[in-house]
Amino acid sequence: YPLHLLYDSAVSGNVDAQFALAWAHATQFRASGPEVMRFWLSTAAEAGHIKAQMWLAYCFAEGKAVTHNGEIAEYWFKKAMSSGDPEVEYCYGIALSKGVLPSKDPVKGLWHVKRAALNGYQTAVTYLERRNIPLMTCPQCNNPISVKDRFCGKCGFKLET
């Protein structure tokens, strides 16, 4: 995709082109500075591009190309989470687990990572496997549940002990 066509498309409002430009500036055109990347990423995120919302949240959560701001990161993660995308759920879970969001909660974070794994996100599966974390699911609703608690917070099902 020639860069000038991508730019023209982004300027005309194509959110995929806006995200692609942000990604290009983040990975290939670093000499342009982080401001250009942030501009296109936030433009695409504001227009509803799920991956842009997720990456903007990640940037604020980790302090990449922006100053760390957990509140803004959480805002963008929650917007992106409404899509049901398992990659977003995984990233949100990791951010919760790492404590870089105001609502830091390692237990809830792991739950989101498990949900991402259940929804086929291979990075989440690998994350759990490398840490020897079993992926137990509720037999009634397929919700991830804690091996220790043996209780489903979604449907209330209790596993036999």
Side-chain angles (χ1 to χ4, degrees):
Y1 213 100
L3 191 58
H4 72 281
L5 293 176
L6 191 60
Y7 179 80
D8 291 346
S9 187
V11 168
S12 69
N14 181 311
V15 294
D16 291 325
Q18 292 167 349
F19 179 68
L21 264 181
W23 194 255
H25 281 281
T27 60
Q28 298 168 10
F29 307 118
R30 293 187 179 161
S32 62
E35 299 82 18
V36 177
M37 183 275 298
R38 280 195 311 263
F39 171 79
W40 288 115
L41 191 59
S42 59
T43 300
E46 288 286 350
H49 192 281
I50 301 303
K51 297 295 186 196
Q53 292 171 346
M54 179 189 74
W55 281 106
L56 192 57
Y58 168 80
C59 288
F60 278 106
E62 296 292 332
K64 304 282 187 190
V66 296
T67 302
H68 168 79
N69 187 319
E71 289 83 14
I72 294 173
E74 192 147 34
Y75 168 81
W76 284 112
F77 270 129
K78 287 184 177 179
K79 278 190 91 71
M81 283 286 291
S82 67
S83 71
D85 184 305
E87 183 182 12
V88 173
E89 185 140 31
Y90 169 76
C91 291
Y92 180 61
I94 294 297
L96 282 172
S97 296
K98 287 174 72 174
V100 295
L101 302 177
S103 62
K104 54 187 158 196
D105 184 341
V107 173
K108 188 175 179 183
L110 182 58
W111 183 85
H112 283 287
V113 170
K114 286 181 175 184
R115 288 238 340 203
L118 287 171
N119 286 313
Y121 189 58
Q122 188 57 48
T123 303
V125 173
T126 303
Y127 176 90
L128 296 171
E129 286 173 349
R130 286 188 178 156
R131 287 158 183 79
N132 293 317
I133 299 172
L135 185 58
M136 182 179 265
T137 59
C138 174
Q140 282 191 325
C141 69
N142 206 33
N143 189 53
I145 58 176
S146 166
V147 174
K148 182 182 83 177
D149 296 338
R150 304 182 68 77
F151 172 79
C152 179
K154 184 176 180 182
C155 73
F157 183 82
K158 290 184 182 180
L159 292 172
E160 308 262 333
T161 52

